[in-house]
């Protein structure tokens, strides 16, 4: 979805009111409102240059946040609105704390009398006592030994106290819990065992070993086969693209990073045969879809609408005959799944049914804001009446989610049975499409008028606006972080690890008003400590390692804070360079991150070495105003020489730098990253197979086949090819040698 640049210093996000002297500014009222709303008036760009958001942009952003500020009177009224909201949140519905550390209740004004409290533990325990005065004048209660979501009663107030472990679940924890762990944890073998690697794949790109079966897209069964094959080669996990729910009624919107909902799964990844066996083939035959399935499977690029048309037709056919095809145990499992999913699952299914209905009606259905006013509220009478009238359609979408969950469960089970310490590593998109199910069902917690993005930087000089919305900090606090917690539980349900896309957004997020250019935005601060504590708590509950993608314009102190919370960062080969532009040798990489050769948004090693990415950027008019193709190729040759020198210093290559057409650098890059002290190395399948093309080029919606390319063959066979086996051997050797 996005491209990233070398970490650079920026304004400290962890100090509220980080704007410069506002009182001296002619726009003092506007700046005061911006600061109160969490916007950063002043910031530093990727080159360390000081920047200030213009008054015009501030007004646009604040207006999109529901805080009009065209003049001083409106600024004052919006400030009063924020003050009233803060007063209503005293106490807040949820407070976070760290295990065994004092709990600050600075929102409590109890005068000089020490307030009594009662803590009702999640385990049913009860602890009582009196708060004590902290040296700063606030009240606090003793640290809580047991993590979890407890209920705190104090001075007539009742709230949730979320007590988190001091850090996230980590690689060592996963190894301790893995049946494949070394017998002696203090041996050198155990030290090297903590140097894991995982294969990274795009699920849609996978092929089945039976060409007719695939139907044009990878599915959860091919993912399970991928896990088995990767485990046999020594991989501890398989990282996948986001599997979030898309738009069943509009499959042309298929970007995994712009989903309809991050709470549910994409039904196009269902393998009908996994649950229905031979009946799935019979359904395709009865519907006359066998030839179309074969055509779709033979394509080198996914025909998403075609895949959806065929897959959903088969699944609908099976759904309508489920009573005859499924035994009572499975039918009971489906009913229990629906009950456990509760209101959130039902609301998503209703959205899917509504979206399908309006799409069938014709134009004006792409956004729920275009629906009749009564249907824009998920719990309105009109929506309930629609759901009752279309109960079968709603149940169909519940059925799809059940099948998807079964498939993903089986893939994770297969991975762990194959000996993987982690298994599946899920990917959490930074936001959702504003026209989707998540935004419809959580309107108080997700922005409507703002798009997440990134300011102009080295790799994207024009800036980025991703066309997706994110959580509102005000909405999160107001609802006790409900939306964040339920989302974390959803994405961790069938995973041993989680990559959080654009984890910088946990501290600050570049937000851009709709219809504005990507540079016309501002940074919005987020409740970093609260969110990190909740992530740590949920990671331990799910026993899942957390990886935060910390690439871009990184605020000062951010990486250190990630390390303190036990979240791994990400080190990418292209960006691991010192002040002199030389590539850092493996031993110089941080041990507090997951290392990788590249990401889905960046060129593969073969693509970078050949300059294929430069050719694409020129073709798509993505070069900056001061860039040209010839200069970019000259600079790339300089970079190739620098990288080859680093390979040589690491003892991985000899001789002179090979030409741009050579694939020698691919082998060296895999070993180079493998030698780093990172506890986890993630290798994209594109680099293991020495492919030149990358899955996505940020900033494009056409001209490049984003999220469409498929692999040339089934992954088990591709991993067994001699060249791939040789590269895997290099990687495994490097991992054993890493210190």
């Amino acid at each position: 979805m996005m491209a990233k640049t070398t970490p650079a210093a920026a304004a400290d996000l962890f100090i509220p009111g980080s704007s410069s002297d506002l009182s001296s500014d002619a726009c003092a009222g506007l700046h005061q409102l911006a600061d109160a709303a969490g916007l950063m008036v002043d910031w530093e760009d990727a080159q360390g240059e000081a920047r200030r958001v213009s008054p015009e942009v501030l007004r646009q952003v604040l207006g999109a946040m529901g805080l009009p500020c065209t003049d001083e009177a409106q600024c004052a009224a919006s400030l009063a609105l924020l003050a009233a909201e803060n007063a209503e949140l005293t106490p807040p519905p949820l407070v976070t704390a760290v295990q065994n550390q004092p709990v600050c209740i600075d929102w409590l004004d109890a005068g000089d009398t020490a307030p009594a409290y009662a803590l009702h533990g999640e385990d049913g325990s009860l602890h009582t006592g009196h708060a004590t005065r902290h040296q700063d004048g606030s009240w606090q209660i003793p640290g809580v030994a047991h993590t979890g979501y407890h209920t705190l009663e104090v001075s007539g107030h009742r709230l949730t106290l979320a007590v988190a472990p001091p850090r996230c679940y980590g690689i060592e924890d996963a190894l301790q819990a893995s049946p494949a762990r070394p017998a002696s944890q203090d041996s050198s073998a155990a030290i090297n065992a903590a140097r894991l690697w995982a294969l990274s794949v795009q699920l849609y790109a996978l092929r089945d070993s039976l060409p007719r079966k695939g139907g044009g897209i990878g599915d959860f069964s091919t993912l399970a086969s991928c896990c088995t094959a990767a485990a046999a080669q020594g991989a501890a996990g398989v990282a996948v693209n986001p599997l979030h729910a898309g738009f069943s009624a509009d499959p042309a919107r298929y970007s995994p990073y712009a989903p309809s909902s991050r709470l549910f799964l994409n039904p196009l990844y269902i393998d009908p045969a996994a649950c229905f066996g031979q009946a799935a083939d019979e359904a395709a035959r009865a519907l006359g879809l066998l030839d179309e399935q074969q055509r779709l499977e033979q394509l080198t690029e996914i025909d998403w609408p075609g895949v959806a048309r065929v897959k959903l037709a088969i699944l609908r056919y099976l759904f309508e005959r489920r009573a005859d095809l499924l035994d009572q145990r499975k039918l009971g499992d489906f009913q229990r799944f629906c009950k456990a999913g509760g209101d959130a699952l039902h609301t998503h299914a209703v959205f899917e049914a509504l979206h399908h209905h309006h799409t069938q009606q014709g134009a004006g259905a792409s956004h729920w804001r275009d629906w009749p006013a009564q249907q824009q509220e998920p719990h309105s009478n009109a929506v309930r009446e629609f759901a009752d009238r279309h109960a079968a359609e709603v149940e169909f979408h519940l059925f799809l989610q059940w099948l998807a969950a079964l498939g993903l469960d089986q893939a994770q089970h297969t991975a762990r049975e194959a000996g993987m310490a982690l298994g599946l590593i899920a990917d959490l998109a930074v936001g959702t499409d504003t026209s989707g199910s998540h935004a419809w069902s959580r309107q108080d917690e997700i922005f409507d008028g703002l798009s997440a993005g990134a300011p102009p930087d080295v790799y994207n000089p024009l800036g980025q606006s991703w066309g997706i919305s994110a959580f509102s900090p005000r909405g999160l606090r107001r609802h006790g972080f409900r939306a964040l917690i339920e989302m974390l539980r959803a994405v961790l349900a069938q995973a041993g690890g989680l990559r959080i896309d654009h984890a910088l957004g946990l501290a600050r997020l570049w937000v851009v008003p709709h219809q504005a250019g990507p540079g016309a935005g501002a940074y919005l601060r987020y409740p970093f400590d609260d969110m990190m504590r909740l992530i740590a708590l949920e990671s331990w509950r799910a026993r899942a390692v957390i990886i935060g993608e910390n690439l871009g314009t990184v605020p000062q102190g951010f990486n250190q804070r990630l390390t303190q919370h036990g979240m791994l960062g990400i080190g990418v080969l292209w960006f691991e360079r010192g002040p002199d532009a030389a590539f850092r040798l493996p031993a110089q990489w941080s041990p507090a991150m997951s290392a990788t050769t590249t990401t889905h948004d960046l060129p593969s090693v073969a693509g970078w070495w050949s300059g294929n990415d430069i050719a694409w950027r020129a073709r798509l008019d993505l070069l900056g105003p001061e860039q040209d193709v010839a200069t970019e190729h000259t600079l790339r040759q300089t970079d190739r020489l620098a990288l080859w020198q680093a390979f040589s210093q690491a003892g991985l290559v000899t001789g002179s730098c090979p030409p741009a057409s050579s694939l020698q650098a691919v082998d060296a890059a895999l070993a180079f990253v493998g030698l780093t002290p990172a506890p986890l190395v993630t290798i994209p399948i594109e680099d293991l197979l020495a492919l030149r093309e990358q899955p996505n080029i940020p900033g494009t919606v056409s001209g490049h086949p984003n999220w469409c390319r498929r692999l040339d063959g089934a992954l088990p066979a591709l991993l067994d090819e001699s060249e791939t086996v040789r590269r895997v051997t290099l990687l495994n050797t490097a991992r054993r040698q890493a210190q």
Side-chain angles (χ1 to χ4, degrees):
M1 182 185 69
M2 63 199 79
K4 309 297 192 283
T5 57
T6 315
D12 188 342
L13 298 187
F14 307 109
I15 301 177
S18 58
S19 306
S20 59
D21 186 3
L22 303 182
S23 62
S24 64
D25 195 295
C27 303
L30 178 64
H31 285 186
Q32 184 181 3
L33 174 61
D35 192 60
L39 291 177
M40 298 176 61
V41 176
D42 296 291
W43 57 285
E44 291 182 12
D45 64 19
Q47 289 76 41
E49 296 292 328
R51 300 286 185 182
R52 168 164 285 201
V53 183
S54 71
E56 178 184 359
V57 169
L58 282 178
R59 291 190 178 95
Q60 291 178 352
V61 175
L62 287 165
M65 294 172 65
L67 299 169
C69 50
T70 56
D71 54 35
E72 289 298 314
Q74 283 194 340
C75 285
S78 292
L79 273 169
L81 173 65
L82 290 177
E85 285 186 2
N86 289 334
E88 291 176 1
L89 290 177
T90 303
L94 180 143
V95 170
T96 66
V98 178
Q99 183 181 24
N100 293 321
Q101 294 184 15
V103 180
C104 180
I105 48 176
D106 53 4
W107 45 267
L108 181 64
D109 183 10
D112 295 327
T113 303
Y117 72 87
L119 184 68
H120 302 269
E122 192 176 20
D123 60 358
S125 61
L126 174 64
H127 304 272
T128 60
H130 287 80
T132 57
R133 184 78 76 177
H134 188 260
Q135 60 184 12
D136 65 3
S138 64
W139 294 103
Q140 64 180 27
I141 64 174
V144 181
H146 298 290
T147 63
Y149 295 91
H150 312 305
T151 300
L152 176 63
E153 293 179 341
V154 57
S155 295
H157 299 295
R158 186 181 180 92
L159 66 145
T160 298
L161 177 63
V163 179
R167 60 170 177 80
C168 296
Y169 189 81
I171 295 291
E172 292 285 357
D173 302 307
L175 285 170
Q176 289 285 344
S178 173
R181 68 183 184 275
S184 174
Q185 292 298 319
D186 60 356
S187 67
S188 59
I191 296 173
N192 286 333
R195 302 292 182 254
L196 309 180
W197 72 273
L199 180 66
S200 175
V201 300
Q202 305 292 313
L203 176 51
Y204 56 80
L206 301 181
R207 291 184 185 272
D208 194 271
S209 55
L210 299 175
R212 184 176 58 78
K213 177 181 175 297
I217 190 173
D219 58 33
F220 292 127
S221 292
T222 50
L223 178 58
S225 298
C226 168
C227 291
T228 300
Q233 300 285 359
V238 171
V240 294
N241 57 283
L243 306 179
H244 308 315
F247 296 84
S248 296
D250 188 7
R253 286 190 278 175
Y254 51 77
S255 169
Y257 290 93
S260 173
S261 176
R262 294 184 288 180
L263 297 178
F264 303 103
L265 297 169
N266 190 334
L268 297 186
Y269 293 131
I270 295 170
D271 173 16
C275 188
F276 290 94
Q278 187 62 32
D281 278 346
E282 294 171 0
R285 185 177 296 106
L287 294 168
L289 294 174
L290 289 176
D291 289 344
E292 179 64 1
Q293 274 187 314
Q294 215 162 17
R295 182 192 72 82
L296 291 169
E297 186 63 18
Q298 291 169 354
L299 298 175
T300 58
E301 295 175 7
I302 294 175
D303 173 1
W304 284 93
V307 166
R309 187 168 53 251
V310 170
K311 181 71 67 80
L312 294 177
I314 292 172
L315 289 168
R316 192 178 292 274
Y317 182 95
L318 296 168
F319 166 72
E320 291 170 351
R321 292 157 180 79
R322 63 195 180 282
D324 298 325
L325 297 173
L326 299 178
D327 58 34
Q328 289 302 310
R329 181 183 62 81
K330 284 189 175 179
L331 290 172
D333 287 345
F334 171 48
Q335 294 304 319
R336 285 185 286 274
F337 172 82
C338 294
K339 184 177 181 179
D343 178 71
L345 174 61
H346 186 263
T347 301
H348 174 72
V350 172
F351 174 90
E352 286 282 83
L354 270 165
H355 192 204
H356 175 77
H357 170 77
H358 287 295
T359 300
Q360 296 293 99
Q361 299 301 309
S366 62
H367 199 297
W368 52 268
R369 292 284 186 198
D370 300 324
W371 299 350
Q374 301 92 330
Q375 293 181 349
Q376 294 180 21
E377 164 52 50
H379 296 105
S380 68
N381 289 333
V383 169
R384 281 191 289 271
E385 291 170 1
F386 174 90
D388 290 341
R389 290 197 310 272
H390 299 84
E393 184 68 15
V394 172
E395 189 175 11
F396 172 60
H397 291 287
L398 293 170
F399 186 73
L400 295 182
Q401 287 304 313
W402 175 59
L403 291 179
L406 285 178
L408 191 54
D409 272 333
Q410 183 57 47
Q412 173 65 350
H413 177 75
T414 300
R416 298 307 296 267
E417 285 293 301
M420 286 185 164
L422 301 178
L424 297 179
I425 301 173
D427 198 348
L428 176 63
V430 70
T432 57
D433 192 309
T434 59
S435 65
S437 159
H438 211 161
W440 181 67
S441 64
R442 293 288 180 260
Q443 294 177 36
D444 288 344
E445 293 151 279
I446 294 179
F447 282 127
D448 185 23
L450 293 171
S451 168
D457 57 30
V458 175
Y459 209 85
N460 283 271
L462 304 179
Q464 299 176 74
S465 179
W466 303 320
I468 56 174
S469 193
F471 289 136
S472 157
R474 290 158 62 198
L476 285 175
R477 292 190 184 97
R478 187 162 53 244
H479 294 278
F481 294 86
R482 172 190 63 178
L484 173 67
I485 294 168
E486 69 176 354
M487 181 189 70
L488 290 171
R489 290 177 179 174
V491 295
L492 290 171
Q494 300 112 338
L498 175 66
R499 172 191 177 274
I500 299 178
D501 190 49
H502 195 64
L504 301 174
L506 297 170
R508 68 177 189 183
L509 186 65
W510 186 258
V511 292
V512 182
H514 292 329
Q515 313 305 325
Y523 274 120
L524 176 66
R525 293 191 295 270
Y526 276 73
F528 179 80
D529 283 330
D530 288 325
M531 297 175 78
M532 290 296 291
R533 289 169 182 168
L534 292 170
I535 290 170
L537 177 53
E538 292 299 328
S539 82
W540 274 94
R541 290 191 160 205
R543 298 294 190 265
V545 173
I546 307 296
I547 304 164
E549 192 228 27
N550 56 335
L551 307 174
T553 305
V554 181
Q556 183 179 357
F558 181 83
N559 288 338
Q560 290 80 356
R561 296 294 291 277
L562 284 193
T563 301
Q564 290 170 10
H565 285 276
M567 181 184 291
L568 293 173
I570 294 181
V572 181
L573 177 60
W574 315 129
F575 302 146
E576 287 296 319
R577 307 180 75 156
D580 58 354
F583 285 90
R584 293 189 180 96
L585 296 179
Q588 297 170 327
W589 288 41
S590 170
M593 65 185 180
S594 168
T596 184
T597 46
T598 192
T599 76
H600 57 261
D601 285 328
L602 295 168
S604 64
V605 175
W608 184 91
W609 193 266
S610 65
N612 186 55
D613 61 310
I614 297 173
W616 269 112
R617 288 166 60 205
R619 189 182 313 165
L620 299 169
D621 197 25
L622 292 177
L623 295 176
E626 298 180 0
Q627 295 176 317
D628 63 78
V629 175
T631 302
E632 290 300 299
H633 278 298
T634 299
L635 292 172
R636 181 59 55 83
Q637 175 58 19
T638 301
D639 285 342
R640 275 194 291 266
L641 291 169
L643 184 55
W644 192 257
Q645 182 179 11
F647 290 162
S648 179
Q649 289 177 313
L652 298 173
V653 299
T654 58
S656 58
C657 180
S661 59
S662 172
L663 293 179
Q664 285 180 264
V666 177
D667 294 358
L670 294 176
F672 190 83
V673 172
L675 286 172
T676 66
L680 178 66
V681 163
T682 304
I683 301 298
I685 188 62
E686 291 80 10
D687 284 342
L688 214 52
L689 301 179
L691 304 179
R692 282 192 167 87
E693 301 294 352
Q694 63 196 74
N696 176 58
I697 294 182
T700 62
V701 292
S702 62
H704 182 268
N706 291 341
W707 319 121
C708 287
R709 286 199 177 97
R710 300 196 73 194
L711 298 178
D712 288 338
L715 196 61
L718 293 174
L719 289 179
D720 281 341
E721 291 181 353
S722 59
E723 284 296 287
T724 311
V725 171
R726 184 176 57 78
R727 293 190 186 102
V728 169
T729 300
L730 288 172
L731 178 61
N732 279 320
T733 300
R735 287 275 73 194
R736 287 192 294 269
Q737 294 173 348
Q739 296 300 315

